[in-house]
Amino acid sequence: MWRAEAGPLHYLRGHWVREARSELIVSNGRIQQIRPLRPGRDAARSVVLPGFHDSHLHLRAAAAAKLSVDLSASSSIPALLASLRSRAGDFEGRWIRGWGWDESTLKERRAPTIAEIDSVTASQPCALHHRTGKVVILNSAAWRILTDPDSGSNSIEEPLRADAALLQKMPRQPENSVESALADLSCELAAAGVTSVTDATATNTWDDIARMDEWVRRGVVRQRVNALLAFDQVSAVSGSEGGMQTHGTVRVLGAKVAAPADGIAERVRHVRGYGWPVAVHATEPDELEAALAAIEECGPPTWGRDRIEHLGLPLPGHLERIRAGRIAVTTNPAFVTERAQKYRELLSAVEQEWLYPLRSVLAQGIPLAAASDRPVTSATPLGTMAAAVHRRPRAGGAEPLGAEERVTPDEALALVTDRAEVDGSALDRQGGRGSLASNLHLNADLVLLSDDPRRLLEDTKVLATFVGGHAIWGSPEVG
Ligand SMILES: [Zn+2]
């Protein structure tokens, strides 16, 4: 048994309220008691509050990235090649996989060439996944394996789209290694205080969602899992009337649409034909315009809530239309801090002001949640809060990017905890967003922090994380 003293932090009708100190009694891996402490006792600084939610990530891709050579910190092509060379031996007899290269963060501002990759991988096949997951480059050995030698097709320098037919012939990573990487990922998330996630992968089939349910049941993933379904999978649901779908433990929040702007309308119409809400990937203004026009044409879904994913660069008028359509937004504050350099180079001063807006979205009353987009960033909820409040990297003393779009620490905390509105799940019966009464009880999803997260201290620690009252992190009893 162990006990912890903490000040409960409740979210009540859009405001955080700190309560008198309480004592948590934990034994057999679960919260047994929460009782108020007598006033006047020496107060520790720790707080207990609703667990964090990561509203847009990719479980399998994040696990796969863990099994790959991490190239995301490489700042030049020689550095990237050196990382590959030093890890090539770990992939003896298998494909070398790299993840996380990004031409915008490489000094040369270009992808490595096939000849450059060959120079460090020799005859081993190698595939390097872009940080966004959208494109892949292969070396010569990989091209030889994947293409028919008689067809005379040669390797091409142009990166391949990740959904290219050719790449489907690449050997999949063994399921048992994916699962052990997933268990590590889940543990990392628990250590960051995350109690629930939404898998926003655009290719999710019902089988993929069944697998997520299995991961949760077998304890591979210890967070609650919500998911979006690929747009072309909604027709496979029988009797889709009657609201939000669940698949075992997994709640399905809607259908994901990620397409070039000219393909968005058709996909939104298809999904809406079944009454489902859509979650449309929109980092670019033309994607957002297409998404809004299609949603306006189709009218509201029969259940749940439409979402815009990322909301990279809305133009004047877009936010008003998002509000009018009762659409929610998931955003990625860490993009602004991690890609500040790239945005400063590529975007005009005005565009930089409009990038990944927060303040002006909240000002419209649009439901807004923050997400890491793992594996694209590995931002923790506390890191995401700091990014939303400061909009500049922690180190380096750079100017904020879009200073007008900064939010208060209270608002930033709501971005990583308050998910009912964005998910479109039933709003709290007692009328608040996450009411006082429901926040803190024996079966709640909770996180215990060493300090009030709104102070944004760099050394604030996650002391324990509970899902349904069960400790998944921090308790001495967690194995
Ligand atoms: Zn994503």
Side-chain angles (χ1 to χ4, degrees), residues 56-58 200 256 281 310 373-374 376:
H56 176 132
L57 52 57
H58 307 277
K256 177 78 182 281
H281 170 101
H310 311 301
D373 203 10
R374 277 173 189 259
V376 179

mmCIF file with all atom_site columns, all heavy atoms in Angstrom, residues 56-58 200 256 281 310 373-374 376, ligand 1:
data_model
loop_
_atom_site.group_PDB
_atom_site.id
_atom_site.type_symbol
_atom_site.label_atom_id
_atom_site.label_alt_id
_atom_site.label_comp_id
_atom_site.label_asym_id
_atom_site.label_entity_id
_atom_site.label_seq_id
_atom_site.pdbx_PDB_ins_code
_atom_site.Cartn_x
_atom_site.Cartn_y
_atom_site.Cartn_z
_atom_site.occupancy
_atom_site.B_iso_or_equiv
_atom_site.pdbx_formal_charge
_atom_site.auth_seq_id
_atom_site.auth_comp_id
_atom_site.auth_asym_id
_atom_site.auth_atom_id
_atom_site.pdbx_PDB_model_num
ATOM   1  N  N   . HIS A 1 56  ? -4.751  12.701 -31.209 1.00 0.00 ? 56  HIS A N   1
ATOM   2  C  CA  . HIS A 1 56  ? -4.421  12.301 -32.590 1.00 0.00 ? 56  HIS A CA  1
ATOM   3  C  C   . HIS A 1 56  ? -3.013  11.725 -32.594 1.00 0.00 ? 56  HIS A C   1
ATOM   4  O  O   . HIS A 1 56  ? -2.033  12.447 -32.467 1.00 0.00 ? 56  HIS A O   1
ATOM   5  C  CB  . HIS A 1 56  ? -4.526  13.517 -33.517 1.00 0.00 ? 56  HIS A CB  1
ATOM   6  C  CG  . HIS A 1 56  ? -4.129  13.262 -34.945 1.00 0.00 ? 56  HIS A CG  1
ATOM   7  N  ND1 . HIS A 1 56  ? -4.905  13.654 -36.017 1.00 0.00 ? 56  HIS A ND1 1
ATOM   8  C  CD2 . HIS A 1 56  ? -3.039  12.662 -35.490 1.00 0.00 ? 56  HIS A CD2 1
ATOM   9  C  CE1 . HIS A 1 56  ? -4.295  13.305 -37.151 1.00 0.00 ? 56  HIS A CE1 1
ATOM   10 N  NE2 . HIS A 1 56  ? -3.154  12.707 -36.853 1.00 0.00 ? 56  HIS A NE2 1
ATOM   11 N  N   . LEU A 1 57  ? -2.935  10.405 -32.698 1.00 0.00 ? 57  LEU A N   1
ATOM   12 C  CA  . LEU A 1 57  ? -1.628  9.766  -32.870 1.00 0.00 ? 57  LEU A CA  1
ATOM   13 C  C   . LEU A 1 57  ? -1.810  8.500  -33.689 1.00 0.00 ? 57  LEU A C   1
ATOM   14 O  O   . LEU A 1 57  ? -2.923  8.194  -34.131 1.00 0.00 ? 57  LEU A O   1
ATOM   15 C  CB  . LEU A 1 57  ? -0.946  9.486  -31.518 1.00 0.00 ? 57  LEU A CB  1
ATOM   16 C  CG  . LEU A 1 57  ? -1.687  8.732  -30.415 1.00 0.00 ? 57  LEU A CG  1
ATOM   17 C  CD1 . LEU A 1 57  ? -2.167  7.368  -30.838 1.00 0.00 ? 57  LEU A CD1 1
ATOM   18 C  CD2 . LEU A 1 57  ? -0.791  8.591  -29.201 1.00 0.00 ? 57  LEU A CD2 1
ATOM   19 N  N   . HIS A 1 58  ? -0.711  7.801  -33.930 1.00 0.00 ? 58  HIS A N   1
ATOM   20 C  CA  . HIS A 1 58  ? -0.739  6.606  -34.781 1.00 0.00 ? 58  HIS A CA  1
ATOM   21 C  C   . HIS A 1 58  ? 0.016   5.505  -34.049 1.00 0.00 ? 58  HIS A C   1
ATOM   22 O  O   . HIS A 1 58  ? 1.251   5.524  -34.008 1.00 0.00 ? 58  HIS A O   1
ATOM   23 C  CB  . HIS A 1 58  ? -0.093  6.915  -36.131 1.00 0.00 ? 58  HIS A CB  1
ATOM   24 C  CG  . HIS A 1 58  ? -0.688  8.126  -36.795 1.00 0.00 ? 58  HIS A CG  1
ATOM   25 N  ND1 . HIS A 1 58  ? -1.843  8.061  -37.533 1.00 0.00 ? 58  HIS A ND1 1
ATOM   26 C  CD2 . HIS A 1 58  ? -0.327  9.434  -36.789 1.00 0.00 ? 58  HIS A CD2 1
ATOM   27 C  CE1 . HIS A 1 58  ? -2.157  9.275  -37.960 1.00 0.00 ? 58  HIS A CE1 1
ATOM   28 N  NE2 . HIS A 1 58  ? -1.251  10.131 -37.519 1.00 0.00 ? 58  HIS A NE2 1
ATOM   29 N  N   . ALA A 1 200 ? -5.564  8.066  -35.157 1.00 0.00 ? 200 ALA A N   1
ATOM   30 C  CA  . ALA A 1 200 ? -6.159  8.796  -36.289 1.00 0.00 ? 200 ALA A CA  1
ATOM   31 C  C   . ALA A 1 200 ? -5.627  8.302  -37.631 1.00 0.00 ? 200 ALA A C   1
ATOM   32 O  O   . ALA A 1 200 ? -5.645  9.044  -38.614 1.00 0.00 ? 200 ALA A O   1
ATOM   33 C  CB  . ALA A 1 200 ? -5.883  10.283 -36.125 1.00 0.00 ? 200 ALA A CB  1
ATOM   34 N  N   . LYS A 1 256 ? -11.901 8.858  -41.046 1.00 0.00 ? 256 LYS A N   1
ATOM   35 C  CA  . LYS A 1 256 ? -10.775 9.739  -41.366 1.00 0.00 ? 256 LYS A CA  1
ATOM   36 C  C   . LYS A 1 256 ? -10.706 9.943  -42.871 1.00 0.00 ? 256 LYS A C   1
ATOM   37 O  O   . LYS A 1 256 ? -10.751 8.990  -43.650 1.00 0.00 ? 256 LYS A O   1
ATOM   38 C  CB  . LYS A 1 256 ? -9.478  9.104  -40.867 1.00 0.00 ? 256 LYS A CB  1
ATOM   39 C  CG  . LYS A 1 256 ? -8.208  9.877  -41.198 1.00 0.00 ? 256 LYS A CG  1
ATOM   40 C  CD  . LYS A 1 256 ? -7.998  11.070 -40.275 1.00 0.00 ? 256 LYS A CD  1
ATOM   41 C  CE  . LYS A 1 256 ? -6.754  11.869 -40.623 1.00 0.00 ? 256 LYS A CE  1
ATOM   42 N  NZ  . LYS A 1 256 ? -5.517  11.298 -40.149 1.00 0.00 ? 256 LYS A NZ  1
ATOM   43 N  N   . HIS A 1 281 ? -8.081  15.595 -42.602 1.00 0.00 ? 281 HIS A N   1
ATOM   44 C  CA  . HIS A 1 281 ? -6.708  16.102 -42.506 1.00 0.00 ? 281 HIS A CA  1
ATOM   45 C  C   . HIS A 1 281 ? -6.624  17.420 -43.282 1.00 0.00 ? 281 HIS A C   1
ATOM   46 O  O   . HIS A 1 281 ? -6.885  17.450 -44.477 1.00 0.00 ? 281 HIS A O   1
ATOM   47 C  CB  . HIS A 1 281 ? -5.759  15.054 -43.103 1.00 0.00 ? 281 HIS A CB  1
ATOM   48 C  CG  . HIS A 1 281 ? -4.353  15.534 -43.282 1.00 0.00 ? 281 HIS A CG  1
ATOM   49 N  ND1 . HIS A 1 281 ? -3.335  15.215 -42.415 1.00 0.00 ? 281 HIS A ND1 1
ATOM   50 C  CD2 . HIS A 1 281 ? -3.797  16.322 -44.243 1.00 0.00 ? 281 HIS A CD2 1
ATOM   51 C  CE1 . HIS A 1 281 ? -2.217  15.779 -42.828 1.00 0.00 ? 281 HIS A CE1 1
ATOM   52 N  NE2 . HIS A 1 281 ? -2.462  16.450 -43.931 1.00 0.00 ? 281 HIS A NE2 1
ATOM   53 N  N   . HIS A 1 310 ? -5.348  18.966 -37.464 1.00 0.00 ? 310 HIS A N   1
ATOM   54 C  CA  . HIS A 1 310 ? -4.185  19.847 -37.620 1.00 0.00 ? 310 HIS A CA  1
ATOM   55 C  C   . HIS A 1 310 ? -4.543  21.334 -37.732 1.00 0.00 ? 310 HIS A C   1
ATOM   56 O  O   . HIS A 1 310 ? -4.008  22.145 -37.024 1.00 0.00 ? 310 HIS A O   1
ATOM   57 C  CB  . HIS A 1 310 ? -3.299  19.439 -38.811 1.00 0.00 ? 310 HIS A CB  1
ATOM   58 C  CG  . HIS A 1 310 ? -2.956  17.980 -38.823 1.00 0.00 ? 310 HIS A CG  1
ATOM   59 N  ND1 . HIS A 1 310 ? -2.294  17.376 -37.773 1.00 0.00 ? 310 HIS A ND1 1
ATOM   60 C  CD2 . HIS A 1 310 ? -3.208  16.994 -39.717 1.00 0.00 ? 310 HIS A CD2 1
ATOM   61 C  CE1 . HIS A 1 310 ? -2.138  16.086 -38.037 1.00 0.00 ? 310 HIS A CE1 1
ATOM   62 N  NE2 . HIS A 1 310 ? -2.682  15.826 -39.218 1.00 0.00 ? 310 HIS A NE2 1
ATOM   63 N  N   . ASP A 1 373 ? 0.490   13.763 -32.527 1.00 0.00 ? 373 ASP A N   1
ATOM   64 C  CA  . ASP A 1 373 ? 0.647   13.157 -33.857 1.00 0.00 ? 373 ASP A CA  1
ATOM   65 C  C   . ASP A 1 373 ? 1.810   12.152 -33.867 1.00 0.00 ? 373 ASP A C   1
ATOM   66 O  O   . ASP A 1 373 ? 2.465   11.957 -34.885 1.00 0.00 ? 373 ASP A O   1
ATOM   67 C  CB  . ASP A 1 373 ? 0.849   14.215 -34.947 1.00 0.00 ? 373 ASP A CB  1
ATOM   68 C  CG  . ASP A 1 373 ? 0.454   13.711 -36.340 1.00 0.00 ? 373 ASP A CG  1
ATOM   69 O  OD1 . ASP A 1 373 ? -0.144  12.621 -36.445 1.00 0.00 ? 373 ASP A OD1 1
ATOM   70 O  OD2 . ASP A 1 373 ? 0.753   14.411 -37.328 1.00 0.00 ? 373 ASP A OD2 1
ATOM   71 N  N   . ARG A 1 374 ? 2.099   11.493 -32.736 1.00 0.00 ? 374 ARG A N   1
ATOM   72 C  CA  . ARG A 1 374 ? 3.153   10.472 -32.732 1.00 0.00 ? 374 ARG A CA  1
ATOM   73 C  C   . ARG A 1 374 ? 2.972   9.534  -33.906 1.00 0.00 ? 374 ARG A C   1
ATOM   74 O  O   . ARG A 1 374 ? 1.855   9.165  -34.191 1.00 0.00 ? 374 ARG A O   1
ATOM   75 C  CB  . ARG A 1 374 ? 3.078   9.633  -31.440 1.00 0.00 ? 374 ARG A CB  1
ATOM   76 C  CG  . ARG A 1 374 ? 3.770   10.278 -30.277 1.00 0.00 ? 374 ARG A CG  1
ATOM   77 C  CD  . ARG A 1 374 ? 3.491   9.473  -29.025 1.00 0.00 ? 374 ARG A CD  1
ATOM   78 N  NE  . ARG A 1 374 ? 3.955   10.176 -27.857 1.00 0.00 ? 374 ARG A NE  1
ATOM   79 C  CZ  . ARG A 1 374 ? 5.102   9.896  -27.214 1.00 0.00 ? 374 ARG A CZ  1
ATOM   80 N  NH1 . ARG A 1 374 ? 5.863   8.913  -27.607 1.00 0.00 ? 374 ARG A NH1 1
ATOM   81 N  NH2 . ARG A 1 374 ? 5.465   10.592 -26.174 1.00 0.00 ? 374 ARG A NH2 1
ATOM   82 N  N   . VAL A 1 376 ? 5.083   11.561 -35.449 1.00 0.00 ? 376 VAL A N   1
ATOM   83 C  CA  . VAL A 1 376 ? 5.584   12.796 -36.076 1.00 0.00 ? 376 VAL A CA  1
ATOM   84 C  C   . VAL A 1 376 ? 6.291   13.682 -35.046 1.00 0.00 ? 376 VAL A C   1
ATOM   85 O  O   . VAL A 1 376 ? 7.345   14.242 -35.325 1.00 0.00 ? 376 VAL A O   1
ATOM   86 C  CB  . VAL A 1 376 ? 4.445   13.554 -36.785 1.00 0.00 ? 376 VAL A CB  1
ATOM   87 C  CG1 . VAL A 1 376 ? 4.958   14.844 -37.405 1.00 0.00 ? 376 VAL A CG1 1
ATOM   88 C  CG2 . VAL A 1 376 ? 3.815   12.674 -37.855 1.00 0.00 ? 376 VAL A CG2 1
HETATM 89 ZN ZN  . ZN  B 2 .   ? -1.462  12.079 -38.003 1.00 0.00 ? 1   ZN  B ZN  1
#
